[in-house]
Amino acid sequence: MPLVYAGVCSHAPGITGRADQADPEVRGAFVESLDGMRAAIEASGAEALVVVAAEHFANFFMDNMPAFAMGMADHYDGPIEDPDWLRIPKFRAPGNRDLSQRLVTEVMQTVDVAYSEEWLFDHGIAVPLHFLTPGYDLPIVPVNVNCQGPPLTPLHRAWAFGEALRRAADAVPERIALVGTGGISHWPATPDSGKVNEAWDRDFLDRWCRNDRQALLDYDDLTVYAEAGQGGFEIRTFLAVSAAAAGAPGTVRFYAPIPIFAVGCTVADYDLHA
Amino acid sequence: MSLYAVQKFLYRLNREPDLQGRYRDDRDATLAGFELAGDLSDDEVAALAGPDVGYLFHLGVNGQILMHFAAFHGIEWADYLQRMRDGIAEHGPVREGVYAMTGYDGVEAHATELGHRPGGAGA
C-alpha cells in the first residue's frame, strides 16, 4: 500500500522527564499537537509505524557503527534509561519481524542498511511512542540514522535512505506510517542545555515544509554544529521523512522553544494526498 | 588514557542490567573486569567509580552517554548540569568531541525572555 502517513516530532527526554517544570500552557499546546499526530496516524489506518530515530547509544557504539540500521524483531523493550528519570515505565512494544524483513530487503536494493533482531529503545523512540501509541498496540519498525558518532551519515545519503524507505513501504501490502524524530537545533546534555536557535529552526522548517531537496541538503556539519549545536545533527531524520514524502507539502502543527525540555518542540507532517 | 574505553564502559553500563547490578555491588571490581580496563588511566577509573560527572564531561564523554549515566546514579537534572559546569571550572574546557560548552544564559532566563510562566507540579 502507498505510505499512509509521514510526519516528524521531537523526542527530548525532558518532554516527559521534566514535564512539570515547563509552562503548563505551552506544554499543553505541544501535547495537544502530539495528540493530533496520534489521531492522524490512527485515522490513516496504519498497520505499522516506522520510526526513524537518532538513537543515543542504546544499541550502537563506535565499535561497529552503522550509517543506517533497522530493527527486525517481534518486540522491543524500553526505555534503557531509569524509568523514574524519564517518567516512562518499562514497556514492551510490538514489532513485526516478517514485515521488517520485507522492508529491509527492499531498502537494501539501493542503500546498505544494517539490521538487528535485538533493539532496545531509548528516549529517542520511547518519548514519541509515549504520545503516539500509548497502549503499545501498533507494531513498530525502529530505524536509526547515525547522528551521534562522527563520521556521521551524510545528508544526501539520509535522503537516499528516505527514498528507499518510501519505495519499501509502498511495496508491502500493509499500511505504513512513518515518523521521524529528532532536533531541530539544540545543545542537549551539556551545560548549555535549553539553548535553541529559533530563527535557524524556523528557516529549516520552512525548507522542510516546501520539501525543497536542494535547500534541505544545503547544510554541512561544521555549520550545523556552530549554528544548531550537536543536536542539530539529528536533522537527518527529518530529511529522510522529506525524501519519503516525495515532494508532498508540509505543515508545522506546533513549534515553540521550551527551554526546560532542551529543544524547540516540533510537530509537523506532510500531506501525502496533495 | 582512552576516551573510547571510558565511553565503551558507560555505553555498556547504560544498557546492561547485569552490569549495572555488578557495578552497584562493587564498582572497582566491575571496572577491573571490564574488557578494556587496561586502556583506562587511574583518573578515568576513579571518575567512572565516583562518579565524577564533571571530569568525565571534561574528558569529552558524549553528553548522551553521560546523561544516561547521571540518571542511573539518580543525579537530578539541575545538579547534573551544575556538575558539568564545575568540572569545566576545575579541569578546563572539554578536551575532545562535539559536546563542548558554547555559552548560554540558562533555562530560567531563556524561559522568561520567551514569556513562559513557571511550571507547576502535575502540569
Side-chain angles (χ1 to χ4, degrees):
Chain A
M1 295 280 290
L3 187 70
V4 296
Y5 180 87
V8 291
C9 68
S10 307
H11 68 219
I15 292 169
T16 52
R18 298 186 293 282
D20 59 343
Q21 297 180 46
D23 182 329
E25 191 174 333
V26 181
R27 176 186 178 273
F30 175 45
V31 170
E32 193 175 322
S33 68
L34 287 166
D35 289 344
M37 178 179 255
R38 178 178 71 238
I41 292 170
E42 289 174 357
S44 75
E47 297 167 277
L49 175 62
V50 176
V51 183
V52 180
E55 76 141 34
H56 317 85
F57 304 104
N59 303 281
F60 307 107
F61 187 69
M62 280 74 79
D63 55 355
N64 192 2
M65 179 66 81
F68 306 103
M70 295 176 68
M72 202 168 74
D74 282 326
H75 60 76
Y76 304 96
D77 293 333
I80 67 160
E81 296 92 339
D82 179 78
D84 294 331
W85 177 80
L86 191 59
R87 297 190 191 173
I88 295 178
K90 294 284 186 186
F91 65 86
R92 172 163 286 187
N96 183 330
R97 188 185 183 285
D98 175 70
L99 172 63
S100 282
Q101 185 167 353
R102 285 181 278 123
L103 292 171
V104 168
T105 300
E106 181 57 38
V107 168
M108 275 183 174
Q109 298 305 312
T110 53
V111 176
D112 298 328
V113 60
Y115 60 84
S116 178
E117 297 194 36
E118 298 180 47
W119 196 300
L120 299 173
F121 289 172
D122 70 15
H123 66 268
I125 291 181
V127 170
L129 293 191
H130 177 74
F131 295 98
L132 301 180
T133 66
Y136 304 109
D137 49 4
L138 185 63
I140 305 301
V141 178
V143 176
N144 188 58
V145 181
N146 176 22
C147 304
Q148 285 292 341
L152 306 175
T153 304
L155 295 182
H156 70 277
R157 296 302 295 158
W159 190 276
F161 180 71
E163 291 178 327
L165 265 184
R166 174 60 183 268
R167 196 181 54 253
D170 288 354
V172 298
E174 292 89 343
R175 298 167 70 89
I176 305 295
L178 173 64
V179 169
T181 82
I184 314 169
S185 73
H186 59 317
W187 285 255
T190 74
D192 302 325
S193 177
K195 183 175 175 180
V196 168
N197 186 340
E198 182 173 350
W200 195 94
D201 284 357
R202 292 193 182 279
D203 176 70
F204 175 82
L205 286 172
D206 177 64
R207 302 182 198 205
W208 192 87
C209 286
R210 287 186 281 115
N211 205 335
D212 184 336
R213 179 182 185 277
Q214 185 174 352
L216 285 168
L217 295 182
D218 190 26
Y219 291 102
D220 65 83
D221 284 343
L222 279 178
T223 308
V224 168
Y225 182 55
E227 298 178 353
Q230 67 283 111
F233 294 150
E234 294 177 348
I235 60 172
R236 285 159 174 79
T237 64
F238 282 40
L239 264 59
V241 174
S242 297
T251 301
V252 176
R253 305 294 177 178
F254 184 89
Y255 174 82
I258 302 182
I260 192 63
F261 293 171
V263 74
C265 292
T266 307
V267 175
D269 55 40
Y270 282 118
D271 181 357
L272 298 176
H273 307 294
Chain B
M1 190 170 69
S2 168
L3 177 59
Y4 176 83
V6 170
Q7 295 191 114
K8 180 74 180 289
F9 179 80
L10 293 173
Y11 159 71
R12 287 196 51 199
L13 184 69
N14 287 341
R15 70 188 302 278
E16 296 180 23
D18 288 350
L19 186 60
Q20 290 171 4
R22 282 186 274 130
Y23 177 87
R24 281 195 182 95
D25 291 342
D26 190 334
R27 298 179 188 181
D28 291 332
T30 303
L31 280 156
F34 172 49
E35 71 264 25
L36 298 179
D39 293 339
L40 296 173
S41 69
D42 291 345
D43 284 351
E44 289 168 340
V45 170
L48 290 168
D52 188 340
V53 167
Y55 187 65
L56 293 171
F57 181 64
H58 158 74
L59 291 179
V61 170
N62 183 293
Q64 299 291 344
I65 293 175
L66 192 57
M67 178 176 70
H68 291 175
F69 179 60
F72 167 73
H73 278 287
I75 298 171
E76 293 296 328
W77 183 247
D79 185 20
Y80 163 63
L81 300 183
Q82 189 57 47
R83 289 187 192 208
M84 287 191 288
R85 293 189 191 102
D86 292 346
I88 297 306
E90 182 177 353
H91 303 292
V94 173
R95 282 188 187 171
E96 59 181 295
V98 296
Y99 273 76
M101 291 174 69
T102 55
Y104 180 52
D105 290 337
V107 165
E108 287 187 20
H110 189 182
T112 300
E113 179 189 328
L114 291 167
H116 289 189
R117 294 182 292 136

